[in-house]
Amino acid sequence: MKLEVLCNVENCTYWAEGNQCAADSIFVVGLHNNDADSVADTACKTFEPRKQ
């Protein structure tokens, strides 16, 4: 099953046209003891800056 993952961080290595994430997998963590109550409490660990 293909899962659509959207991302608007254009300077990420995995960003693709149409705000698509082209990573093989996504790793999201909670910022406070692995618990999250809102989007602000999470972070994408898959992010890698695009090489220029």
Side-chain angles (χ1 to χ4, degrees), residues 4-17:
E4 181 179 54
V5 178
L6 300 176
C7 176
N8 70 352
V9 183
E10 294 181 14
N11 68 321
C12 180
T13 296
Y14 302 110
W15 182 88
E17 188 173 333

Side-chain angles (χ1 to χ4, degrees), residues 2-44:
K2 181 175 173 17
L3 178 65
E4 181 179 54
V5 178
L6 300 176
C7 176
N8 70 352
V9 183
E10 294 181 14
N11 68 321
C12 180
T13 296
Y14 302 110
W15 182 88
E17 188 173 333
N19 287 336
Q20 298 290 313
C21 179
D24 290 333
S25 64
I26 306 298
F27 181 39
V28 178
V29 298
L31 296 177
H32 308 289
N33 299 320
N34 295 327
D35 290 326
D37 293 320
S38 71
V39 172
D41 292 336
T42 64
C44 178

